[in-house]
Amino acid sequence: MPTNAQARSFRKTNKTPRRPYEKERLDAELKLVGEYGLRCKREIWRVQYALAKLRKAARTLLTLDPKDPKRIFEGTALLRRMSRYGLLADEELDLDSILQLTTQKLLENRLQTKVCKQGLAKSIHHARVLIRQRHIRVGSQLVNVPSFNVRTSSEKHIDFATNSPYGQGKPGRVARKRAASRAAAGAGEDEE
């Protein structure tokens, strides 16, 4: 029976630590999980894996000759991507500065962190709930992935969704129920 599912090439998205019970690493990871409101350690490992791939790409490009066409082409593309996501400032746009990136810098770029920092949510955990419950949009696109990487050009467009009760949508279920009970109580007082 044919299916409509596209063929996907699944690849690893994270790398587990070599030493599972290293106290310093465990404490540092727990601190990051609490600070950025992550669901599990795997979210940290995923970011660390992405950072490792970025650093590896920068290292291999740095081994090439500065006039090498591959280094020029891929290096500028990599640096453009770093500046687009706000990971590198305009004055530090070189391959060496990619090697200085930290996990925290990438975690600061998540939609969950941006929503909390902009004051749309009361806490980092509330930000995650708002995103998962489809209350947040970036531009006109509704996003329900807390780990969504926000571009610098999109930062000012983070807002509540149009159909969200927090935005300009209709009131939520509880608010409608309370309004109906108030209207019924008001109608009951008028009859007496």
Side-chain angles (χ1 to χ4, degrees):
M1 184 170 175
T3 61
N4 290 341
Q6 289 181 337
R8 289 199 187 118
S9 62
F10 294 106
R11 61 179 63 90
K12 287 181 79 72
T13 57
N14 62 21
K15 187 173 183 294
T16 55
R18 284 202 183 109
R19 294 182 169 175
Y21 302 111
E22 197 175 14
K23 184 160 177 32
E24 294 82 28
R25 183 189 50 77
L26 287 172
D27 292 341
E29 284 177 350
L30 194 62
K31 190 170 182 245
L32 282 176
V33 166
E35 186 181 342
Y36 292 100
L38 306 177
R39 185 174 61 89
C40 57
K41 301 270 182 86
R42 194 184 304 127
E43 290 194 327
I44 295 175
W45 300 338
R46 186 174 61 210
V47 171
Q48 286 172 342
Y49 187 62
L51 179 63
K53 287 203 287 192
L54 288 172
R55 289 165 54 91
K56 184 179 180 186
R59 271 199 317 272
T60 54
L61 289 173
L62 279 168
T63 59
L64 300 173
D65 184 56
K67 298 278 188 271
D68 192 317
K70 181 178 179 176
R71 178 172 172 171
I72 293 169
F73 183 73
E74 291 183 13
T76 52
L78 185 63
L79 291 172
R80 193 180 320 115
R81 199 165 76 219
M82 296 292 105
S83 68
R84 188 184 299 147
Y85 284 103
L87 296 172
L88 293 178
D90 291 335
E91 60 272 0
E92 54 184 23
L93 276 181
D94 58 339
L95 291 173
D96 288 323
S97 52
I98 294 177
L99 300 177
Q100 307 300 321
L101 284 175
T102 59
T103 310
Q104 286 89 334
K105 188 84 172 158
L106 266 72
L107 288 171
E108 287 289 334
N109 217 32
R110 290 163 49 98
L111 178 62
Q112 181 180 357
T113 314
K114 300 279 187 192
V115 167
C116 183
K117 292 264 167 71
Q118 287 187 4
L120 296 174
K122 295 172 186 162
S123 70
I124 195 84
H125 305 290
H126 185 225
R128 188 179 187 95
V129 171
L130 286 177
I131 294 166
R132 285 302 299 160
Q133 292 178 353
R134 303 169 58 89
H135 291 296
I136 302 294
R137 66 185 162 98
V138 179
S140 60
Q141 181 69 50
L142 193 137
V143 182
N144 68 339
V145 181
S147 63
F148 177 80
N149 281 323
V150 182
R151 295 181 175 184
T152 48
S153 58
S154 304
E155 274 182 39
K156 51 188 165 288
H157 302 297
I158 297 173
D159 198 15
F160 289 115
T162 50
N163 59 353
S164 165
Y166 295 106
Q168 50 268 35
K170 68 177 187 175
R173 178 184 61 84
V174 176
R176 288 196 307 263
K177 189 175 178 183
R178 286 183 183 152
S181 65
R182 273 194 225 111
E189 289 175 8
D190 291 342
E191 289 174 6
E192 292 175 7

